[in-house]
Amino acid sequence: MLSLIYLTGSVTFIVGLKMLSNPATARRGNAVAAAGMTLAILGTIFLYEHNGRHLRNYGWITAGLLIGGVIGFLSAKRVKMTAMPEMVSLFNGMGGACAALISVVEFNHMIRAFSGGVEIDHLQLLIVFAGLIIGAVSFAGSVIAWGKLNGNIKDITFGGQHIFNISLLAVMLILSVYVIAAQPPFTGILFALILLLSLVYGVFFVLPIGGADMPVVISLLNSFTGVAAACGGFLYNNPVMLTGGILVGSAGSILTILMCKAMNRSLKNVLIGSFGGTHGGGTAKEQGAYKEISNADMAVVLAYAHKVMIVPGYGLAVAQAQHACHELENLLEARGVEVRYAIHPVAGRMPGHMNVLLAEADVPYEKLLEMEQANGQFNTTDVVLVLGANDVVNPAAKKDPASPIYGMPILEVENARMVVVNKRSMKPGYAGIENDLFFQPKTSMLFGDAKHVLQQLVAEIAQI
Amino acid sequence: MNVILSFIQAHLELTYVVILSIFLGVEVISRVPSVLHTPLMSGANAIHGVVIIGAIIVMGQAEADNYLALILGFLAVILGTLNVVGGFVVTDRMLEMFKSKKTK
């Protein structure tokens, strides 16, 4: 009976994932997978038997499920749309921690059994270690990624970081192999040491990676956690954990590669490129002169334009300006101005981030243009309003082979008649590189928080 | 080498499952519009919450006097549930937005 439930669970995961990859069926796909998961969990609780014994400690299990369920549900419901990427990362970390904890307990069981005279199975030990290391790295990495995305942790790079990381990894692996093969008497201490090293490695693995690359890292850590879950599947001979875990592991890896492709960068580049710090790129270049535009002037420019293209970026998300943005759009449309949004595939912190945000503010789907469409329309556009985006409109990606983002497809905003860039300051974007666009004669800067600026624009235009 | 062979022998079915799942995962994902990357990642994130099953098993098998297993198992159940419930709910919220703009 239980194996039938597990089979159903595995199938729902596959079907759910398949449906998730199509816009029309995505939501149902998610529900299908969730139903399968519920079934598998309930099945495990009530039907699981080991050596003819049912599970015990129902009180504890129920309490754990309740606490986790309530916290998970509420935090997922309450989180702002802009903070979604962080949330996903945090949940991913929880899964990793869960896998690592399972390994700790199982290791403890093994040690107990060993002192009781039972021979330790080397391969089982190997799986326990794999679950421990992968789970712990994923946990620590996800927490760091979470901190970086919500701005609490800055990029930290230091000389020899890659060598440090690789040596850390090597020490971890050698220690693990030694423990598994030789099983020295002080195994417990070594086990704790490996756990500690894994956590440290997770931290240092993510620390140097620039914020613009965070989605890729989260996706990668996501597939790590999948593999950690699969280790649990091997440990308990549990097919649903195995399929679920491996499926996420492989799908996650492919997704990671797809995301890299959308940014035209290789995974290796993302992981060791450490944007900003190491490459001099355009950073050393002198800042040219730029000109500013006032809110009042900008309002006039917008009100009398024929076609306005809005390029949203992370700044929009941070400022929670999506509603103000929609308001501006409505106002302009009412005056007969054509307003469109140009969405770069990696604008924001995650692919699709901008689409989700603007959809939240009820911006109609037809107004969102994908990069190729938008690039075809810039030469007929009067004004481009760049809201808190930077790297995705940086012409260096096309022109400057020395730039770290060289080769990334960009929105060719400089083809429009006029470009206005809203930013909080002249500071470079997340990739840490200067943007020539800001110094072009066509470009004007409009400093300030995106939401604040948009609200003022709305007020000004209403008066015209 | 022998150890590995005997392991595969002993877990033949699981080994098959692993290999087939890898290909399946790759196949299922390979053609996705970039707009769906985030929800898909989030959905996959929820699915690897199956670790919860391991946590339940750990918890359910813990002896009443094994406090380490009890406490860690309890923690694992909480964290695993967070992953599952939070993951699915967040994904649903994201996809809800996609829906609302389609019906417009």
Side-chain angles (χ1 to χ4, degrees), chain A residues 72-91:
Chain A
F73 183 79
L74 287 183
S75 48
K77 273 285 180 199
R78 291 215 180 125
V79 64
K80 290 200 185 81
M81 266 300 154
T82 41
M84 225 46 134
E86 287 101 292
M87 207 66 215
V88 173
S89 176
L90 199 60
F91 285 140

Side-chain angles (χ1 to χ4, degrees), chain B residues 51-73:
Chain B
V51 267
I52 179 70
I53 289 176
I56 293 173
I57 296 174
V58 159
M59 191 75 236
Q61 289 180 342
E63 306 294 336
D65 61 340
N66 188 348
Y67 293 110
L68 179 81
L70 279 177
I71 293 169
L72 293 186

Side-chain angles (χ1 to χ4, degrees), chain A residues 95-116:
Chain A
C98 180
L101 285 176
I102 292 172
S103 280
V104 173
V105 176
E106 282 306 318
F107 180 76
N108 180 256
H109 281 322
M110 280 184 178
I111 294 296
R112 283 189 167 210
F114 182 64
S115 50

Side-chain angles (χ1 to χ4, degrees), chain A residues 27-39:
Chain A
R27 200 168 177 205
R28 255 181 302 144
N30 187 47
V32 165
M37 181 74 78
T38 316
L39 197 65

Side-chain angles (χ1 to χ4, degrees), chain A residues 213 216 253-268 270 344-346 351 371-372 407-409, chain B residues 30-32 34 37:
Chain A
D213 288 329
V216 179
S253 315
I254 291 296
L255 197 57
T256 312
I257 293 168
L258 284 179
M259 283 186 183
C260 285
K261 265 197 197 140
M263 295 193 279
N264 201 11
R265 307 189 53 201
S266 72
L267 185 59
K268 192 176 131 241
V270 170
H344 190 276
V346 295
M371 184 171 57
E372 289 81 16
M408 180 173 92
Chain B
S30 51
R31 243 173 287 127
V32 200
S34 69
H37 282 176

Side-chain angles (χ1 to χ4, degrees), chain A residues 14 47 61 101 110 144 277 325 354 361 410 438:
Chain A
I14 298 166
L47 299 171
I61 294 178
L101 285 176
M110 280 184 178
I144 296 296
C325 191
M354 289 301 129
I410 55 160
F438 303 159

Side-chain angles (χ1 to χ4, degrees), chain A residues 180-253:
Chain A
I180 293 163
Q183 290 165 18
F186 39 93
T187 304
I189 298 163
L190 283 179
F191 185 81
L193 183 66
I194 290 171
L195 173 60
L196 190 72
L197 284 178
S198 310
L199 290 173
V200 173
Y201 180 74
V203 171
F204 281 99
F205 175 65
V206 179
L207 263 187
I209 298 173
D213 288 329
M214 252 338 127
V216 179
V217 176
I218 296 177
S219 175
L220 189 68
L221 291 173
N222 194 16
S223 63
F224 277 8
T225 313
V227 176
C231 289
F234 259 114
L235 210 54
Y236 299 114
N237 237 325
N238 188 315
V240 76
M241 283 175 79
L242 200 63
T243 29
I246 292 288
L247 209 56
V248 174
S250 68
S253 315

Side-chain angles (χ1 to χ4, degrees), chain A residues 265-382:
Chain A
R265 307 189 53 201
S266 72
L267 185 59
K268 192 176 131 241
N269 228 314
V270 170
L271 294 182
I272 50 181
S274 326
F275 253 3
T278 42
H279 296 275
T283 18
K285 233 185 278 175
E286 247 174 69
Q287 284 205 355
Y290 57 86
K291 57 174 188 284
E292 273 190 68
I293 185 168
S294 71
N295 281 327
D297 289 345
M298 183 60 193
V300 174
V301 168
L302 284 176
Y304 293 103
H306 289 291
K307 186 169 174 185
V308 173
M309 189 85 80
I310 297 176
V311 179
Y314 189 60
L316 177 97
V318 172
Q320 293 277 330
Q322 65 272 32
H323 294 284
C325 191
H326 182 50
E327 214 180 315
L328 177 74
E329 169 212 320
N330 280 342
L331 199 60
L332 289 175
E333 292 262 313
R335 295 184 61 101
V337 182
E338 192 186 346
V339 181
R340 291 288 179 273
Y341 293 84
I343 312 284
H344 190 276
V346 295
R349 282 295 173 271
M350 283 194 162
H353 195 174
M354 289 301 129
N355 302 65
V356 174
L357 263 188
L358 292 172
E360 191 202 4
D362 290 327
V363 173
Y365 190 61
E366 315 81 65
K367 293 203 172 161
L368 307 181
L369 303 181
E370 301 225 354
M371 184 171 57
E372 289 81 16
Q373 284 173 291
N375 277 341
Q377 295 194 17
F378 279 125
N379 46 14
T380 58
T381 302
D382 299 308

